[in-house]
mmCIF file with all atom_site columns, all heavy atoms in Angstrom:
data_model
loop_
_atom_site.group_PDB
_atom_site.id
_atom_site.type_symbol
_atom_site.label_atom_id
_atom_site.label_alt_id
_atom_site.label_comp_id
_atom_site.label_asym_id
_atom_site.label_entity_id
_atom_site.label_seq_id
_atom_site.pdbx_PDB_ins_code
_atom_site.Cartn_x
_atom_site.Cartn_y
_atom_site.Cartn_z
_atom_site.occupancy
_atom_site.B_iso_or_equiv
_atom_site.pdbx_formal_charge
_atom_site.auth_seq_id
_atom_site.auth_comp_id
_atom_site.auth_asym_id
_atom_site.auth_atom_id
_atom_site.pdbx_PDB_model_num
ATOM 1  N N   . ILE A 1 142 ? -5.356 -41.526 -63.623 1.00 98.00 ? 304 ILE A N   1
ATOM 2  C CA  . ILE A 1 142 ? -3.897 -41.502 -63.481 1.00 98.00 ? 304 ILE A CA  1
ATOM 3  C C   . ILE A 1 142 ? -3.474 -40.448 -62.460 1.00 98.00 ? 304 ILE A C   1
ATOM 4  O O   . ILE A 1 142 ? -2.474 -40.627 -61.754 1.00 98.00 ? 304 ILE A O   1
ATOM 5  C CB  . ILE A 1 142 ? -3.187 -41.291 -64.838 1.00 98.00 ? 304 ILE A CB  1
ATOM 6  C CG1 . ILE A 1 142 ? -1.668 -41.493 -64.685 1.00 98.00 ? 304 ILE A CG1 1
ATOM 7  C CG2 . ILE A 1 142 ? -3.481 -39.936 -65.430 1.00 98.00 ? 304 ILE A CG2 1
ATOM 8  C CD1 . ILE A 1 142 ? -1.240 -42.803 -64.091 1.00 98.00 ? 304 ILE A CD1 1
ATOM 9  N N   . LEU A 1 143 ? -4.227 -39.387 -62.340 1.00 98.00 ? 305 LEU A N   1
ATOM 10 C CA  . LEU A 1 143 ? -3.944 -38.408 -61.287 1.00 98.00 ? 305 LEU A CA  1
ATOM 11 C C   . LEU A 1 143 ? -4.076 -39.069 -59.917 1.00 98.00 ? 305 LEU A C   1
ATOM 12 O O   . LEU A 1 143 ? -3.205 -38.911 -59.051 1.00 98.00 ? 305 LEU A O   1
ATOM 13 C CB  . LEU A 1 143 ? -4.900 -37.222 -61.398 1.00 98.00 ? 305 LEU A CB  1
ATOM 14 C CG  . LEU A 1 143 ? -4.783 -36.164 -60.294 1.00 98.00 ? 305 LEU A CG  1
ATOM 15 C CD1 . LEU A 1 143 ? -3.436 -35.464 -60.350 1.00 98.00 ? 305 LEU A CD1 1
ATOM 16 C CD2 . LEU A 1 143 ? -5.920 -35.146 -60.405 1.00 98.00 ? 305 LEU A CD2 1
ATOM 17 N N   . GLU A 1 144 ? -5.134 -39.812 -59.736 1.00 98.00 ? 306 GLU A N   1
ATOM 18 C CA  . GLU A 1 144 ? -5.369 -40.528 -58.474 1.00 98.00 ? 306 GLU A CA  1
ATOM 19 C C   . GLU A 1 144 ? -4.227 -41.511 -58.179 1.00 98.00 ? 306 GLU A C   1
ATOM 20 O O   . GLU A 1 144 ? -3.720 -41.577 -57.051 1.00 98.00 ? 306 GLU A O   1
ATOM 21 C CB  . GLU A 1 144 ? -6.698 -41.283 -58.590 1.00 98.00 ? 306 GLU A CB  1
ATOM 22 C CG  . GLU A 1 144 ? -7.028 -42.211 -57.440 1.00 98.00 ? 306 GLU A CG  1
ATOM 23 C CD  . GLU A 1 144 ? -8.224 -43.098 -57.787 1.00 98.00 ? 306 GLU A CD  1
ATOM 24 O OE1 . GLU A 1 144 ? -9.213 -42.581 -58.347 1.00 98.00 ? 306 GLU A OE1 1
ATOM 25 O OE2 . GLU A 1 144 ? -8.158 -44.311 -57.509 1.00 98.00 ? 306 GLU A OE2 1
ATOM 26 N N   . ILE A 1 145 ? -3.797 -42.241 -59.200 1.00 98.00 ? 307 ILE A N   1
ATOM 27 C CA  . ILE A 1 145 ? -2.723 -43.229 -59.026 1.00 98.00 ? 307 ILE A CA  1
ATOM 28 C C   . ILE A 1 145 ? -1.391 -42.536 -58.742 1.00 98.00 ? 307 ILE A C   1
ATOM 29 O O   . ILE A 1 145 ? -0.618 -42.983 -57.885 1.00 98.00 ? 307 ILE A O   1
ATOM 30 C CB  . ILE A 1 145 ? -2.629 -44.135 -60.271 1.00 98.00 ? 307 ILE A CB  1
ATOM 31 C CG1 . ILE A 1 145 ? -3.867 -45.041 -60.341 1.00 98.00 ? 307 ILE A CG1 1
ATOM 32 C CG2 . ILE A 1 145 ? -1.355 -44.977 -60.248 1.00 98.00 ? 307 ILE A CG2 1
ATOM 33 C CD1 . ILE A 1 145 ? -3.994 -45.824 -61.640 1.00 98.00 ? 307 ILE A CD1 1
ATOM 34 N N   . ALA A 1 146 ? -1.121 -41.448 -59.441 1.00 98.00 ? 308 ALA A N   1
ATOM 35 C CA  . ALA A 1 146 ? 0.133  -40.718 -59.230 1.00 98.00 ? 308 ALA A CA  1
ATOM 36 C C   . ALA A 1 146 ? 0.233  -40.189 -57.804 1.00 98.00 ? 308 ALA A C   1
ATOM 37 O O   . ALA A 1 146 ? 1.301  -40.238 -57.176 1.00 98.00 ? 308 ALA A O   1
ATOM 38 C CB  . ALA A 1 146 ? 0.240  -39.569 -60.231 1.00 98.00 ? 308 ALA A CB  1
ATOM 39 N N   . ILE A 1 147 ? -0.867 -39.696 -57.285 1.00 98.00 ? 309 ILE A N   1
ATOM 40 C CA  . ILE A 1 147 ? -0.892 -39.212 -55.898 1.00 98.00 ? 309 ILE A CA  1
ATOM 41 C C   . ILE A 1 147 ? -0.661 -40.376 -54.937 1.00 98.00 ? 309 ILE A C   1
ATOM 42 O O   . ILE A 1 147 ? 0.148  -40.287 -54.007 1.00 98.00 ? 309 ILE A O   1
ATOM 43 C CB  . ILE A 1 147 ? -2.228 -38.500 -55.601 1.00 98.00 ? 309 ILE A CB  1
ATOM 44 C CG1 . ILE A 1 147 ? -2.315 -37.187 -56.392 1.00 98.00 ? 309 ILE A CG1 1
ATOM 45 C CG2 . ILE A 1 147 ? -2.380 -38.235 -54.102 1.00 98.00 ? 309 ILE A CG2 1
ATOM 46 C CD1 . ILE A 1 147 ? -3.688 -36.534 -56.365 1.00 98.00 ? 309 ILE A CD1 1
ATOM 47 N N   . LYS A 1 148 ? -1.347 -41.478 -55.179 1.00 98.00 ? 310 LYS A N   1
ATOM 48 C CA  . LYS A 1 148 ? -1.213 -42.658 -54.317 1.00 98.00 ? 310 LYS A CA  1
ATOM 49 C C   . LYS A 1 148 ? 0.213  -43.200 -54.333 1.00 98.00 ? 310 LYS A C   1
ATOM 50 O O   . LYS A 1 148 ? 0.729  -43.674 -53.311 1.00 98.00 ? 310 LYS A O   1
ATOM 51 C CB  . LYS A 1 148 ? -2.196 -43.740 -54.761 1.00 98.00 ? 310 LYS A CB  1
ATOM 52 C CG  . LYS A 1 148 ? -2.288 -44.918 -53.804 1.00 98.00 ? 310 LYS A CG  1
ATOM 53 C CD  . LYS A 1 148 ? -3.408 -45.867 -54.214 1.00 98.00 ? 310 LYS A CD  1
ATOM 54 C CE  . LYS A 1 148 ? -3.533 -47.018 -53.223 1.00 98.00 ? 310 LYS A CE  1
ATOM 55 N NZ  . LYS A 1 148 ? -4.632 -47.947 -53.624 1.00 98.00 ? 310 LYS A NZ  1
ATOM 56 N N   . ALA A 1 149 ? 0.873  -43.121 -55.488 1.00 98.00 ? 311 ALA A N   1
ATOM 57 C CA  . ALA A 1 149 ? 2.237  -43.638 -55.630 1.00 98.00 ? 311 ALA A CA  1
ATOM 58 C C   . ALA A 1 149 ? 3.281  -42.732 -54.984 1.00 98.00 ? 311 ALA A C   1
ATOM 59 O O   . ALA A 1 149 ? 4.435  -43.132 -54.823 1.00 98.00 ? 311 ALA A O   1
ATOM 60 C CB  . ALA A 1 149 ? 2.566  -43.827 -57.105 1.00 98.00 ? 311 ALA A CB  1
ATOM 61 N N   . GLY A 1 150 ? 2.892  -41.513 -54.645 1.00 98.00 ? 312 GLY A N   1
ATOM 62 C CA  . GLY A 1 150 ? 3.821  -40.596 -53.991 1.00 98.00 ? 312 GLY A CA  1
ATOM 63 C C   . GLY A 1 150 ? 4.631  -39.732 -54.936 1.00 98.00 ? 312 GLY A C   1
ATOM 64 O O   . GLY A 1 150 ? 5.702  -39.225 -54.561 1.00 98.00 ? 312 GLY A O   1
ATOM 65 N N   . CYS A 1 151 ? 4.139  -39.539 -56.149 1.00 98.00 ? 313 CYS A N   1
ATOM 66 C CA  . CYS A 1 151 ? 4.850  -38.685 -57.104 1.00 98.00 ? 313 CYS A CA  1
ATOM 67 C C   . CYS A 1 151 ? 4.832  -37.229 -56.638 1.00 98.00 ? 313 CYS A C   1
ATOM 68 O O   . CYS A 1 151 ? 3.860  -36.773 -56.039 1.00 98.00 ? 313 CYS A O   1
ATOM 69 C CB  . CYS A 1 151 ? 4.201  -38.777 -58.481 1.00 98.00 ? 313 CYS A CB  1
ATOM 70 S SG  . CYS A 1 151 ? 4.289  -40.413 -59.206 1.00 98.00 ? 313 CYS A SG  1
ATOM 71 N N   . GLU A 1 152 ? 5.899  -36.522 -56.959 1.00 98.00 ? 314 GLU A N   1
ATOM 72 C CA  . GLU A 1 152 ? 5.951  -35.100 -56.621 1.00 98.00 ? 314 GLU A CA  1
ATOM 73 C C   . GLU A 1 152 ? 5.154  -34.270 -57.628 1.00 98.00 ? 314 GLU A C   1
ATOM 74 O O   . GLU A 1 152 ? 4.524  -33.276 -57.264 1.00 98.00 ? 314 GLU A O   1
ATOM 75 C CB  . GLU A 1 152 ? 7.399  -34.617 -56.593 1.00 98.00 ? 314 GLU A CB  1
ATOM 76 C CG  . GLU A 1 152 ? 7.543  -33.175 -56.149 1.00 98.00 ? 314 GLU A CG  1
ATOM 77 C CD  . GLU A 1 152 ? 8.982  -32.704 -56.079 1.00 98.00 ? 314 GLU A CD  1
ATOM 78 O OE1 . GLU A 1 152 ? 9.892  -33.467 -56.473 1.00 98.00 ? 314 GLU A OE1 1
ATOM 79 O OE2 . GLU A 1 152 ? 9.203  -31.565 -55.633 1.00 98.00 ? 314 GLU A OE2 1
ATOM 80 N N   . TYR A 1 153 ? 5.199  -34.694 -58.887 1.00 98.00 ? 315 TYR A N   1
ATOM 81 C CA  . TYR A 1 153 ? 4.518  -33.975 -59.971 1.00 98.00 ? 315 TYR A CA  1
ATOM 82 C C   . TYR A 1 153 ? 3.774  -34.958 -60.867 1.00 98.00 ? 315 TYR A C   1
ATOM 83 O O   . TYR A 1 153 ? 4.201  -36.108 -61.034 1.00 98.00 ? 315 TYR A O   1
ATOM 84 C CB  . TYR A 1 153 ? 5.524  -33.270 -60.886 1.00 98.00 ? 315 TYR A CB  1
ATOM 85 C CG  . TYR A 1 153 ? 6.146  -32.008 -60.386 1.00 98.00 ? 315 TYR A CG  1
ATOM 86 C CD1 . TYR A 1 153 ? 7.218  -32.039 -59.497 1.00 98.00 ? 315 TYR A CD1 1
ATOM 87 C CD2 . TYR A 1 153 ? 5.710  -30.760 -60.840 1.00 98.00 ? 315 TYR A CD2 1
ATOM 88 C CE1 . TYR A 1 153 ? 7.828  -30.878 -59.062 1.00 98.00 ? 315 TYR A CE1 1
ATOM 89 C CE2 . TYR A 1 153 ? 6.323  -29.588 -60.413 1.00 98.00 ? 315 TYR A CE2 1
ATOM 90 C CZ  . TYR A 1 153 ? 7.379  -29.652 -59.528 1.00 98.00 ? 315 TYR A CZ  1
ATOM 91 O OH  . TYR A 1 153 ? 7.984  -28.494 -59.104 1.00 98.00 ? 315 TYR A OH  1
#
Side-chain angles (χ1 to χ4, degrees):
I304 189 55
L305 176 65
E306 173 191 316
I307 291 171
I309 292 170
K310 189 173 182 180
C313 296
E314 184 178 5
Y315 284 81

